[in-house]
Amino acid sequence: MQRLLAVTGLALALTAGLARAEEPSQALFAAARLACAYSQGMNAVFTPQGRVSLKPPLDPNTPGLTIAIVDRAKNRAVLEEDDLETPGVLMATPSSLSVMARYPDGGVTVVTVYPVHSGASDNFLMVSSRHGVGNEPQMSQRYGFCRPGVETPPPPPPPPPAPKGHS
């Protein structure tokens, strides 16, 4: 009997551990929006001689981005950065959720969010890589955190028109 209780206790502990391990991925893959913030990063540019020059680290206070999952069945998402909304392709695997977006200038950004919590928080680990174009190709890689975002409620309906009285 003691052996049965020990095996049952071990099975319950393993099941609880697996459930906790699955919780981050369930929350990540169920989210309709992810609000992301950068904690650090680096910019790089090619020199005229073809070398890569690293610029000073990015300011960690750089505004972040939001990932809006538009249509999971069609793998569509939108990267929202300030007032810029860029459609992208959603790619989800058991190990990550990524969005790849191409900007009108030809630049590309890939954002990958991992179903791994940062320490004791409920923030997911995130990396964003941008490959910009222009006179000189520019690259940046930023690291940070994402958390499920709250959908913005629609604005309230306008009040009904006031009844017109007779004067």
Side-chain angles (χ1 to χ4, degrees), residues 28 31-36 65-69 97 113 124 146-149:
L28 174 61
R33 295 178 72 76
L34 294 166
C36 306
L65 63 97
T66 298
I67 299 170
I69 310 298
L97 182 145
V113 183
F124 299 111
C146 296
R147 62 183 311 126

Side-chain angles (χ1 to χ4, degrees), residues 31-32 67-78 88-92:
I67 299 170
I69 310 298
V70 177
D71 188 335
R72 287 184 188 278
K74 293 183 180 178
N75 296 323
R76 294 188 179 148
V78 173
V89 176
L90 174 68
M91 299 167 280

